[in-house]
Amino acid sequence: MRQIFAFVMAAIAVCPIVLMAFAASRTEDEATPIFGIKMPPGYRDWRLISVAHEEGDLNDLRAILGNDIAIKAFREGVLPFPDGTIIAPIAWSYVPSEENDKVFGRAQSFVAGAPKEGVQFMVKDSRKYASTGGWGFAQFFDGKPADEATLNTCFSCHEPAKAHDFVFTHYAP
Amino acid sequence: MRQIFAFVMAAIAVCPIVLMAFAASRTEDEATPIFGIKMPPGYRDWRLISVAHEEGDLNDLRAILGNDIAIKAFREGVLPFPDGTIIAPIAWSYVPSEENDKVFGRAQSFVAGAPKEGVQFMVKDSRKYASTGGWGFAQFFDGKPADEATLNTCFSCHEPAKAHDFVFTHYAP
């Protein structure tokens, strides 16, 4: 009887941890609304397409990474981008670096701070996403997908870049 | 006799091309003075450590890439960096993007333009480079190594970052 009691108490103690782990893995596996895109595993290991700085409300430093299909297409100038292309802009807050400025003897150095605006993905599937130029759009905040309203704004902003298959980023050699 | 003349003329015509090709391959294989570092092949495929923007005379956008040993050390917070670490800052000119600004409706977007300041490398070899904190410094302009005077300035600038093994860049998650 004492053994059963101990087992039940242990189960109650462990249960929230199991549930939390389950919830965390659920979030990472969650797909976006509209486009049904899950966060691609290992994207932080992808190669670099280019870098950028956005002022204004965004106020970030960003790296635009691409999977192997994306890098090959950018380097060879292939347009439209082939199905399977994934482009991932990652943004960090735009932070002055006191440490670097001391060395330069003036305020001039800005570095990547905390991650911002989550991670975004453009996924090429010319059939599945035919109504949005062949691109699916995704954004995740701490692994949680953006809502429908947010994702509905993506394609209209990318339309002016139609001549470059709706992609603003150019490859930095 | 006419055949010999034609052969000699052809050889004279081809010779500069051969010499130019030879010179180009020689340049890529050339090691820096002082540290004797050759340009590491495939560095543009390395993974991203972080991004930065330098104002002032530099006026660039830069990506700091690292080889596998560097990425592992940065992610695990290993200090000092192990021998074999190579860190590669690549700088591009800081260019306003009219194309992007049109979409945002205001001047706010800056992207990577032409490559600047060549490519730089910090190579860790604690024995070989013991007198400069275990780091060898290299810079190449279009594949051609920087001169001794330029490379002699590297270590003194990195000395203030001694607590972080002379490396200014922090990993951007």
Side-chain angles (χ1 to χ4, degrees):
Chain A
M1 189 65 191
R2 196 175 291 166
Q3 277 171 327
I4 293 169
F5 178 76
F7 174 78
V8 170
M9 289 311 287
I12 290 169
V14 167
C15 196
I17 297 165
V18 173
L19 281 176
M20 278 164 67
F22 182 70
S25 72
R26 273 297 298 269
T27 304
E28 277 163 30
D29 281 350
E30 225 175 303
T32 62
I34 313 175
F35 302 102
I37 296 168
K38 291 181 182 180
M39 198 184 279
Y43 70 86
R44 185 59 185 78
D45 287 334
W46 291 353
R47 286 177 284 174
L48 181 78
I49 301 166
S50 192
V51 290
H53 164 48
E54 297 295 340
E55 290 182 350
D57 295 337
L58 293 172
N59 197 32
D60 64 43
L61 266 175
R62 47 180 65 196
I64 299 92
L65 307 183
N67 67 357
D68 290 345
I69 298 172
I71 293 289
K72 190 170 184 290
F74 270 106
R75 288 182 179 172
E76 295 174 1
V78 174
L79 282 180
F81 288 91
D83 282 3
T85 296
I86 310 181
I87 300 167
I90 313 180
W92 297 274
S93 58
Y94 184 68
V95 176
S97 169
E98 275 185 45
E99 190 185 10
N100 297 3
D101 288 345
K102 269 184 204 163
V103 175
F104 288 118
R106 49 174 288 177
Q108 72 163 55
S109 189
F110 298 86
V111 297
K116 278 197 79 169
E117 301 142 37
V119 192
Q120 297 176 316
F121 299 96
M122 278 179 78
V123 178
K124 189 69 184 273
D125 187 326
S126 49
R127 287 185 188 192
K128 193 171 175 184
Y129 306 125
S131 67
T132 48
W135 291 101
F137 297 87
Q139 186 166 17
F140 297 88
F141 301 92
D142 288 328
K144 206 175 155 47
D147 60 19
E148 204 171 319
T150 303
L151 295 176
N152 264 328
T153 65
C154 298
F155 181 60
S156 59
C157 272
H158 280 266
E159 272 193 304
K162 192 177 177 180
H164 194 245
D165 197 22
F166 307 100
V167 172
F168 288 106
T169 302
H170 300 275
Y171 184 78
Chain B
M1 188 66 190
R2 196 174 292 166
Q3 278 174 327
I4 292 170
F5 178 75
F7 175 79
V8 169
M9 290 310 288
I12 289 168
V14 167
C15 196
I17 298 166
V18 173
L19 283 176
M20 279 165 68
F22 183 71
S25 72
R26 274 297 298 268
T27 304
E28 276 164 30
D29 281 350
E30 225 174 303
T32 63
I34 312 175
F35 302 102
I37 297 169
K38 290 182 182 178
M39 199 185 277
Y43 70 86
R44 185 60 185 76
D45 287 333
W46 291 353
R47 287 176 283 175
L48 180 79
I49 301 165
S50 191
V51 290
H53 165 47
E54 296 296 340
E55 290 182 350
D57 296 336
L58 293 173
N59 198 32
D60 65 41
L61 267 174
R62 46 180 65 195
I64 298 92
L65 308 183
N67 68 356
D68 290 345
I69 299 172
I71 293 290
K72 189 170 186 289
F74 270 106
R75 288 182 179 170
E76 294 174 1
V78 173
L79 281 180
F81 287 91
D83 281 3
T85 297
I86 309 181
I87 299 168
I90 312 180
W92 297 274
S93 58
Y94 184 67
V95 176
S97 170
E98 275 185 45
E99 190 185 10
N100 296 3
D101 288 346
K102 269 184 203 162
V103 175
F104 288 117
R106 50 173 288 178
Q108 73 163 56
S109 189
F110 298 87
V111 297
K116 280 195 77 166
E117 299 143 37
V119 192
Q120 298 175 314
F121 299 96
M122 277 180 77
V123 178
K124 189 69 185 270
D125 187 327
S126 50
R127 285 186 189 190
K128 194 172 174 184
Y129 306 126
S131 67
T132 48
W135 290 101
F137 297 87
Q139 187 166 15
F140 298 88
F141 301 92
D142 287 328
K144 204 174 156 49
D147 60 19
E148 202 171 322
T150 304
L151 295 175
N152 263 330
T153 65
C154 298
F155 182 59
S156 59
C157 271
H158 280 265
E159 274 194 304
K162 191 177 178 181
H164 195 244
D165 196 23
F166 307 101
V167 172
F168 288 105
T169 303
H170 300 274
Y171 184 78

